[in-house]
Amino acid sequence: MDSPASLMDVPLGIRTVQWISRKCCPSVRINKPICYRFLVLILTYLAYTSYHLSRKPISVVKAVLNQNCSSLEPPPGVFVNSTNKNNWCDWAPFDGQNASALLGTLDSAFLFAYAAAMFVSGFVAERVNLRYFLSLGMIFSGIFCYMFGIAYSYNIHSISYLITVQVLGGIAQTTGWPGVVTVVGNWFGEGKRGLIFGIWNSHTSVGNILGSLVAGSFVDSDWALSFFVPALIMAGVGFIIFLFLPAEPIEVGCPPPERPGSRVNSQYRLLLPNSMHAASSSPQRSYRRIVNPSNVSSEEVTSDSEAETQPEADESNLKDDNALIFEPKAITFFQALSIPGVIEFSLSLFFAKLVSYTFLYWLPLYIHNASGAGAEMSADISAIFDIGGIFGGIAAGAISDSSGMSATTCAVMLILAVPSLFAYEIWGNLGLRISVPLLIVTGALVNGPYSLITTAVSAQLGTHPSLEGSSKALATVTAIIDGTGSIGAAVGPLLAGVISSTGWKNVFYMLMISDVLALVLLGRLVLMEMRNWLRTRAALQRPHSGGDWSS
């Protein structure tokens, strides 16, 4: 007979804490679901904060890989003449006229690998234990981040080596988003999802801020440490995830969250042995009989054909210890695309993420070139953009929850983002008193739609009623939406590297056009939401809980 640990794979750290609590304080009783939900939020928050922390160093280090050396004093032993006076301090191969293009290539190597692997990552995430998936991905991400820093320590100037490390790092980083979103989706239901995800999604901006501060602390003295320290943090948090993260409520004996409008409860539908007849309307599904899910000791497989002979039971029997667990199959790529709203939000995120990631990878260098600030100061100032992103994500989630109009919320923020980008390009270099509020506003309006689409909207679509409440689909839907957005995230920095040679003003024009295109792609969904809002208002009914994108 299998042990509970082998069947449910309870994390080692949780088993250790449970053992200690039984020995030291057996009489203490706590609300397990609330405690585990809090633990899941904290751990997934730390995990994705670490993912973004380890992505940020390259944008900070750009300022020393290629800079104007004419104003710097060469150290002893370095001979400077008329041919190398502007690039003697640059790191080869970023010491030539094509430096901006090469730096853009590094970004694109990471981001295109990330975008391509993301589609595969979502399918893998549906079929493996998410705790292993996340912890291994984080450890390998830390290794590849460390390998980039080795280039400074061992004087490696090969562009092929740097691109290879970036590609491998991009692939490893794809484990993050499908993993954390699916785990959170497994633990939390529909209520206030936008606000919860808006607050929780601040990990993206917090990771960028911490990455800027950590990398900026070493960039002028030893930029290898700008990669080593984030790499160690990344791998360390990955090990903590391995020890403590319960990927699903059933692993620790907790009930899954309710999915309104569906008979399926999260990934599992708890049924009585006598109620199998009611479930047999969906053929070819398998069930596992589990005795006392919180203390599993046995399981057996029962097919629907066998179940049909069982009489139907009433709901009073739900207190019975014996239950069946329904595990829906993972959906295909084309099934996910057929969910109403997936294509529109995916394409809109392509352009929204293009803008966000162009800021992520190029803002420190832009500040350095436009204002003359040092590399460390430029990194610190760029973090203000991410502070605005935190407020924007929370505001977008709260507005979406209260209005039930996710597409309209994104559209309004995209409209306002265009003049904010124009204002920052004109007045952003007139001093901190002007640039700081402009960066906060721009960060909020640029990152708000991106945050809402990648979190609450992805989770909403991933648990669409057409899927019968199965959160198995959540990883695939998340991977499709974020993977499409990640292609835009790869294109943006690449274009910025090429266009910046013609002037930074043209880069901002490109960003404004991208926001307009993101807005246009949401047009049909906005019209549907406005039509529903007018219909419900006219009927004097309670506000609709969400836009109907199937019309």
Side-chain angles (χ1 to χ4, degrees):
M1 183 175 293
D2 292 328
S3 67
S6 64
L7 287 173
M8 289 306 182
D9 198 20
V10 180
L12 179 61
I14 290 179
R15 272 188 276 163
T16 303
V17 172
Q18 289 175 342
W19 181 84
I20 294 173
S21 65
R22 285 195 299 268
K23 295 294 183 181
C24 299
C25 43
S27 60
V28 176
R29 295 292 181 267
I30 60 174
N31 189 318
K32 287 205 307 180
I34 291 179
C35 290
Y36 281 122
R37 285 188 181 114
F38 182 77
L39 176 65
V40 165
L41 280 180
I42 294 297
L43 289 179
T44 53
Y45 190 97
L46 289 176
Y48 212 68
T49 296
S50 301
Y51 274 99
H52 265 262
L53 183 148
S54 65
R55 294 179 195 178
K56 190 66 178 179
I58 183 64
S59 68
V60 175
V61 172
K62 282 178 184 177
V64 295
L65 294 179
N66 177 256
Q67 56 184 319
N68 185 0
C69 306
S70 59
S71 60
L72 301 178
E73 185 69 25
V78 176
F79 179 73
V80 178
N81 54 37
S82 58
T83 60
N84 70 345
K85 66 177 182 179
N86 292 325
N87 63 0
W88 63 265
C89 62
D90 293 339
W91 185 266
F94 308 105
D95 54 352
Q97 295 297 320
N98 62 341
S100 294
L102 288 178
L103 291 172
T105 301
L106 282 185
D107 296 337
S108 298
F110 176 93
L111 292 167
F112 276 116
Y114 180 90
M118 178 61 75
F119 293 99
V120 178
S121 183
F123 292 104
V124 175
E126 286 186 359
R127 294 160 173 82
V128 300
N129 186 299
L130 290 172
R131 180 164 58 88
Y132 299 145
F133 185 70
L134 280 169
S135 57
L136 286 175
M138 294 182 72
I139 291 171
F140 277 106
S141 294
I143 291 173
F144 297 133
C145 182
Y146 189 89
M147 288 175 64
F148 199 103
I150 287 177
Y152 180 84
S153 302
Y154 290 91
N155 206 31
I156 299 173
H157 295 274
S158 170
I159 189 65
S160 299
Y161 171 83
L162 299 177
I163 289 176
T164 301
V165 170
Q166 286 288 85
V167 168
L168 294 174
I171 295 172
Q173 288 261 336
T174 61
T175 57
W177 197 237
V180 296
V181 171
T182 304
V183 169
V184 174
N186 288 341
W187 279 91
F188 290 88
E190 300 284 347
K192 298 298 181 184
R193 175 176 274 169
L195 180 59
I196 290 172
F197 272 122
I199 297 172
W200 174 77
N201 194 54
S202 64
H203 51 44
T204 299
S205 297
V206 171
N208 292 339
I209 293 169
L210 293 177
S212 296
L213 297 177
V214 171
S217 299
F218 307 105
V219 65
D220 288 322
S221 57
D222 183 354
W223 60 259
L225 294 175
S226 297
F227 291 92
F228 291 167
V229 175
L232 293 175
I233 294 173
M234 182 72 163
V237 174
F239 185 64
I240 294 173
I241 293 295
F242 173 77
L243 291 178
F244 291 102
L245 180 67
E248 302 177 43
I250 197 69
E251 289 183 355
V252 287
C254 292
E258 292 295 330
R259 307 288 182 190
S262 174
R263 293 182 302 154
V264 180
N265 192 3
S266 184
Q267 289 186 345
Y268 304 97
R269 180 169 57 195
L270 300 183
L271 301 171
L272 290 171
N274 290 336
S275 65
M276 288 186 282
H277 176 72
S280 64
S281 59
S282 299
Q284 312 266 331
R285 291 178 179 175
S286 63
Y287 298 84
R288 285 189 293 166
R289 184 189 302 282
I290 294 184
V291 181
N292 234 346
S294 62
N295 188 21
V296 178
S297 59
S298 66
E299 74 173 16
E300 65 179 73
V301 177
T302 305
S303 68
D304 281 336
S305 60
E306 297 170 343
E308 291 175 357
T309 63
Q310 301 292 337
E312 187 172 338
D314 58 49
E315 294 182 1
S316 63
N317 289 330
L318 287 175
K319 295 180 181 179
D320 192 294
D321 286 338
N322 295 335
L324 288 176
I325 293 180
F326 163 57
E327 296 189 60
K329 295 180 180 179
I331 66 172
T332 66
F333 179 84
F334 293 104
Q335 286 175 319
L337 284 179
S338 67
I339 299 171
V342 167
I343 294 177
E344 289 92 338
F345 275 117
S346 297
L347 295 176
S348 179
L349 185 63
F350 175 95
F351 292 102
K353 205 167 181 179
L354 182 154
V355 177
S356 180
Y357 269 63
T358 300
F359 272 95
L360 173 66
Y361 282 93
W362 286 94
L363 184 57
L365 183 60
Y366 168 73
I367 294 173
H368 176 71
N369 290 339
S371 67
E376 183 176 355
M377 176 63 72
S378 299
D380 293 342
I381 296 174
S382 70
I384 298 171
F385 176 86
D386 293 296
I387 294 175
I390 295 175
F391 293 116
I394 295 173
I399 295 170
S400 176
D401 274 342
S402 62
S403 66
M405 302 166 71
S406 301
T408 305
T409 301
C410 293
V412 171
M413 298 187 84
L414 288 169
I415 292 171
L416 297 176
V418 174
S420 74
L421 288 168
F422 186 74
Y424 180 71
E425 192 278 323
I426 295 176
W427 298 303
N429 298 316
L430 298 182
L432 290 178
R433 290 185 179 180
I434 297 177
S435 64
V436 167
L438 283 176
L439 272 176
I440 291 176
V441 172
T442 304
L445 296 174
V446 166
N447 283 344
Y450 155 53
S451 171
L452 184 61
I453 294 173
T454 54
T455 52
V457 169
S458 295
Q460 181 180 354
L461 295 174
T463 53
H464 192 269
S466 64
L467 302 171
E468 296 183 312
S470 167
S471 64
K472 276 282 188 182
L474 188 52
T476 298
V477 172
T478 299
I480 289 174
I481 293 177
D482 197 54
T484 306
S486 297
I487 297 174
V491 171
L494 178 63
L495 290 177
V498 175
I499 297 174
S500 62
S501 60
T502 67
W504 285 102
K505 179 180 292 187
N506 296 327
V507 174
F508 278 91
Y509 290 154
M510 181 264 289
L511 299 179
M512 287 181 246
I513 293 172
S514 298
D515 265 339
V516 171
L517 292 174
L519 171 65
V520 170
L521 288 165
L522 290 178
R524 188 184 74 89
L525 301 183
V526 172
L527 290 176
M528 293 299 101
E529 289 183 346
M530 294 302 297
R531 183 185 303 167
N532 289 334
W533 179 76
L534 292 173
R535 185 185 304 134
T536 54
R537 186 184 181 194
L540 297 178
Q541 294 177 347
R542 188 172 55 186
H544 201 284
S545 61
D548 182 4
W549 303 319
S550 60
S551 301

